[in-house]
Amino acid sequence: MGLSDGIASKQDVILVEDIVDTGLSTSMALQLLKAQNPASWKLCALLDKPARRSVSVKIDYLGKTIGDRFIVGYGTDVNEQYRQLPAIYVLEE
């Protein structure tokens, strides 16, 4: 079941993101979530990259703010590589 099935209605919901970059995807996900009428909603992000933000997004729970760098590891990847790394690294060009 997904959010379109109405499971968020009247529930407290935390949306968890790996990284908030431009904010476009996160904003869209939050709009879809809010349309389900949750009792409350919060946004949790491991990483925030505010230098690239094009849409304002309020992050309620944040791991770390980072600069405008491309990161990999700990579940983030580039072309499906580096996801398995046990920490977060900056990918140098």
Side-chain angles (χ1 to χ4, degrees):
M1 292 175 59
L3 291 178
S4 63
D5 298 323
I7 62 170
S9 181
K10 309 294 186 224
Q11 300 293 314
D12 297 312
V13 178
I14 296 178
L15 176 65
V16 180
E17 285 275 29
D18 55 354
I19 185 168
V20 178
D21 196 315
T22 63
L24 293 170
S25 296
T26 303
S27 177
M28 178 62 73
L30 287 171
Q31 287 177 16
L32 292 170
L33 175 64
K34 290 177 194 178
Q36 297 300 313
N37 299 315
S40 69
W41 60 271
K42 299 286 184 181
L43 173 61
C44 175
L46 175 62
L47 301 169
D48 180 26
K49 197 185 294 189
R52 292 185 36 87
R53 191 83 77 245
S54 60
V55 175
S56 180
V57 175
K58 177 184 175 247
I59 302 172
D60 300 289
Y61 308 106
L62 176 62
K64 185 170 180 65
T65 299
I66 61 172
D68 189 11
R69 311 287 299 274
F70 196 88
I71 55 100
V72 294
Y74 206 65
T76 60
D77 66 42
V78 59
N79 297 324
E80 299 185 24
Q81 294 182 336
Y82 310 114
R83 180 181 295 264
Q84 78 288 357
L85 296 173
I88 297 171
Y89 301 90
V90 173
L91 187 63
E92 299 293 337
E93 294 183 40

